[in-house]
Amino acid sequence: MNVTTNTRAQRMTFWEKLYLPEIAKGLALTFKTMFKPKLTRQYPEERWEPLGSYRGRPVLVLEEDGERCVACGLCSRVCPALAIEVQAGETERDKERYPVKFEINMLRCIYCGLCEEVCPEEAIVMSKDYDIVFHSQEEAIFGKDKLLVPIARLQERLEYLRQYK
Amino acid sequence: MSPLVLTLIKGAIALNVALVVAAALVYLERRISAWMQYRIGPNRVGPFGLLQPLADVLKLYTKEDIVPYNASTPFHRLAPIISIAVALSVLCVIAPASYLLLDDGTKLFIAVAPNVNVGLLFYLALSSIGVYGIVLAGWSSNNKYSLLGGLRSSAQMISYELAMGLAAVAAVMVSGSLDMNQIIASQSGGRWNIWFQPLGFLIFLVASFAETNRAPFDLPEAEPELVGGYHTEYSGMKFGLFYLAEYANMFTASAVMTTLYLGGYDMPFLPTLLGLQEGTLPRVLFELAVFVGKVSVPLFLFIWVRWTLPRFRYDQLMNLGWRVLLPLGLANIVITGAIVFFVR
Ligand code: SF4
Ligand code: SF4
């Protein structure tokens, strides 16, 4: 039923109806706020350091004896944005296969993290990089030179994956 | 020097001062609003971001000037010109300081057009011509949002013009003149009108907010429902002119408020204490400083209120104008009239 109540508590008092005291209250609040500490982060100088759970650009793990990736192509298959291209080659090392070419098109990548989830070797992980800049479409295709990151710098993410994946 | 040349020089100076003040206001508005929202505001261009307005203008100049298809081109061009021209021409009756006594005994008045005996009327008349700029902009853009913005603005200006005029009438009754210099002279020695006309000042203040289309009365450019209001279809420096006009209007409204209610360049005791003779250069500079100091108070209030209060609904706006401010203004006149009649 559509009942409107008009109790004493809901009605505005005389002073509230006059607006002016309420306006003064509001003005006092904004004036006080002017001298409070600011929340703005001055970006290029002050950078935000994400936690391990942050999904920045996907990178390939580089160990002492070379990359972890075995070029199985699962990440390329699962990528919903069709951003990854892998070409497999043979190597003398124990795991026999390695990616001859590994490219991620950063204009296509949506940072979903599915590649990381599906990788059997934990060879592709999400890093903390969030300021990704390029000036042309060609530049946006990151090859192995940009994708391979030493494992030491990815410890936090690997730790996170071990705990929560 | 012939009076004509002198007036032209004074006019040119006033024009430049007004534009610089408008630019400074844009910067201050952005900075103060940022502080009120826990932000820092523009601080990259030049020291403390002081050159931000320059960068803004440069950007506006390099933007493409788009005139909508089927718009009425001449009026579309004319509208921002009217807005800025009116906003700036009001300046000439404002007296920022008294006069300089020259060697040959003549007085060089600082105001561009000193001792105009209808100074205040001139301000009221011109400030309502400003609505033409907005209405024309709204109508000639061939856009329903612009049109609605223009309509709202004209209705709002007409409603509040009345309350503003009534408040001014009471102040004029106390001062006994319409001439800006006379009004200030009548308040000399700290007998400022605000002490005798607190209600009138409040009405004038609220009406000024509405006249300059500032929040909480910025319905003509209400973003949520009207996109950009009357200037939706303006780009580049044409938009910049509207923007500039808003701040120039703010400045003149504050200057008139200072003249009418805050005693203009008057500062009791201090000039005599410092031994500043009337008509000397130090005295004029002192008066200018006092005037600037006083004008900055309502200017800060304009910015302060904008970042505090939410926008009125349209019916609330009309209610306030016609059912609150108008009767209050009338009552104020009657009371003031009675007091003036019996006391004098
Ligand atoms: S994060 Fe998602 S979109 Fe980006 S490469 Fe991996 S699977 Fe593709
Ligand atoms: S990164 Fe992982 S999923 Fe992708 S090809 Fe290499 S091993 Fe396979």
Side-chain angles (χ1 to χ4, degrees):
Chain A
M1 211 166 59
N2 214 351
V3 184
T4 49
T5 49
N6 188 11
T7 59
R8 218 180 157 73
Q10 281 171 348
R11 259 175 264 149
M12 285 196 286
T13 64
F14 172 75
W15 289 108
E16 279 170 349
K17 269 192 212 153
L18 207 59
Y19 293 135
L20 291 175
E22 299 295 311
I23 288 176
K25 264 192 225 166
L27 288 174
L29 182 73
T30 40
F31 194 76
K32 261 188 270 163
T33 310
M34 275 177 72
F35 304 101
K36 295 252 175 77
K38 312 291 175 240
L39 297 179
T40 310
R41 183 178 284 116
Q42 304 255 16
Y43 165 60
E45 293 94 24
E46 277 175 66
R47 296 177 57 92
W48 169 62
E49 187 57 31
L51 297 172
S53 56
Y54 187 78
R55 290 207 310 263
R57 82 177 169 102
V59 295
L60 289 176
V61 178
L62 180 67
E63 291 181 303
E64 288 83 50
D65 55 342
E67 65 266 80
R68 266 190 184 178
C69 175
V70 293
C72 67
L74 277 177
C75 53
S76 169
R77 274 302 287 271
V78 80
C79 177
L82 307 181
I84 306 178
E85 188 186 341
V86 194
Q87 262 173 32
E90 290 199 7
T91 159
E92 300 300 303
R93 289 164 53 207
D94 283 353
K95 42 187 170 186
E96 294 174 3
R97 283 159 61 90
Y98 83 108
V100 181
K101 181 174 158 195
F102 198 109
E103 282 182 351
I104 301 183
N105 187 337
M106 294 313 293
L107 283 173
R108 290 189 143 250
C109 176
I110 53 170
Y111 306 92
C112 61
L114 286 185
C115 48
E116 173 191 61
E117 226 167 281
V118 81
C119 178
E121 300 288 319
E122 215 166 64
I124 187 165
V125 294
M126 307 304 276
S127 68
K128 290 181 180 183
D129 300 357
Y130 51 83
D131 45 356
I132 297 143
V133 183
F134 24 79
H135 297 103
S136 66
Q137 297 197 1
E138 291 74 41
E139 251 180 87
I141 299 169
F142 284 15
K144 264 169 77 174
D145 54 326
K146 283 186 188 150
L147 289 177
L148 285 169
V149 172
I151 190 165
R153 280 172 44 203
L154 300 168
Q155 280 310 325
E156 221 178 313
R157 180 68 183 180
L158 292 171
E159 189 58 38
Y160 167 81
L161 290 176
R162 228 151 279 147
Q163 248 185 313
Y164 297 102
K165 193 171 156 183
Chain B
M1 247 188 290
S2 78
L4 183 66
V5 177
L6 203 64
T7 307
L8 281 179
I9 292 173
K10 284 195 284 192
I13 293 173
L15 209 66
N16 282 303
V17 168
L19 290 177
V20 170
V21 166
L25 278 177
V26 174
Y27 168 77
L28 280 176
E29 168 117 55
R30 293 179 64 176
R31 222 48 212 281
I32 291 174
S33 68
W35 291 336
M36 287 179 176
Q37 298 168 347
Y38 300 100
R39 293 186 290 116
I40 294 174
N43 64 346
R44 296 281 154 158
V45 197
F48 303 108
L50 274 172
L51 298 181
Q52 185 68 39
L54 221 69
D56 288 345
V57 168
L58 204 69
K59 175 194 137 193
L60 285 174
Y61 264 116
T62 48
K63 287 251 163 172
E64 186 187 356
D65 173 31
I66 303 164
V67 180
Y69 179 68
N70 262 351
S72 172
T73 318
F75 292 118
H76 195 262
R77 288 225 179 100
L78 190 63
I81 299 176
I82 294 180
S83 272
I84 191 79
V86 165
L88 292 177
S89 54
V90 178
L91 276 177
C92 65
V93 287
I94 283 160
S98 54
Y99 58 85
L100 201 61
L101 209 57
L102 298 181
D103 293 336
D104 55 358
T106 51
K107 291 174 175 177
L108 172 62
F109 283 93
I110 305 299
V112 179
N115 300 324
V116 181
N117 57 7
V118 289
L120 190 61
L121 278 185
F122 181 80
Y123 167 70
L124 289 176
L126 268 190
S127 70
S128 37
I129 288 183
V131 77
Y132 280 104
I134 292 172
V135 169
L136 274 182
W139 173 76
S140 65
S141 296
N142 190 29
N143 174 327
K144 55 181 178 265
Y145 298 118
S146 301
L147 184 63
L148 282 173
L151 281 178
R152 276 187 182 189
S153 143
S154 47
Q156 176 181 329
M157 282 207 170
I158 290 165
S159 312
Y160 281 79
E161 189 82 353
L162 222 60
M164 192 183 206
L166 289 178
V169 163
V172 166
M173 277 156 75
V174 174
S175 286
S177 174
L178 281 170
D179 174 352
M180 294 294 203
N181 289 71
Q182 289 288 319
I183 290 173
I184 294 173
S186 77
Q187 302 177 57
S188 65
R191 289 184 288 111
W192 302 347
N193 279 344
I194 188 171
W195 311 133
F196 311 115
Q197 290 285 326
L199 183 62
F201 176 69
L202 200 66
I203 298 171
F204 198 87
L205 187 73
V206 175
S208 293
F209 277 97
E211 283 278 307
T212 47
N213 287 331
R214 291 282 301 186
F217 301 104
D218 57 346
L219 283 114
E221 43 188 314
E223 295 93 351
E225 68 257 32
L226 290 185
V227 194
Y230 59 89
H231 57 54
T232 305
E233 297 292 357
Y234 281 87
S235 55
M237 204 50 208
K238 274 195 204 158
F239 166 75
L241 284 183
F242 277 123
Y243 207 64
L244 220 56
E246 180 183 329
Y247 286 93
N249 274 330
M250 233 165 93
F251 175 52
T252 45
S254 301
V256 170
M257 226 180 289
T258 307
T259 308
L260 262 184
Y261 292 99
L262 303 181
Y265 46 75
D266 170 64
M267 179 54 89
F269 313 123
L270 219 56
T272 27
L273 222 64
L274 295 171
L276 299 175
Q277 283 296 311
E278 223 171 288
T280 56
L281 189 63
R283 173 70 181 252
V284 167
L285 292 179
F286 175 77
E287 286 175 346
L288 278 177
V290 169
F291 189 77
V292 169
K294 281 187 186 172
V295 166
S296 51
V297 173
L299 278 180
F300 177 70
L301 200 63
F302 269 105
I303 297 173
W304 189 10
V305 164
R306 168 159 182 199
W307 298 101
T308 304
L309 299 182
R311 187 177 293 126
F312 276 107
R313 220 169 47 213
Y314 197 66
D315 59 322
Q316 292 172 330
L317 174 99
M318 284 297 155
N319 253 342
L320 183 67
W322 290 100
R323 288 175 47 189
V324 179
L325 291 185
L326 192 69
L328 276 182
L330 281 171
N332 190 37
I333 288 185
V334 172
I335 296 168
T336 312
I339 293 174
V340 168
F341 181 76
F342 288 115
V343 172
R344 292 254 163 92

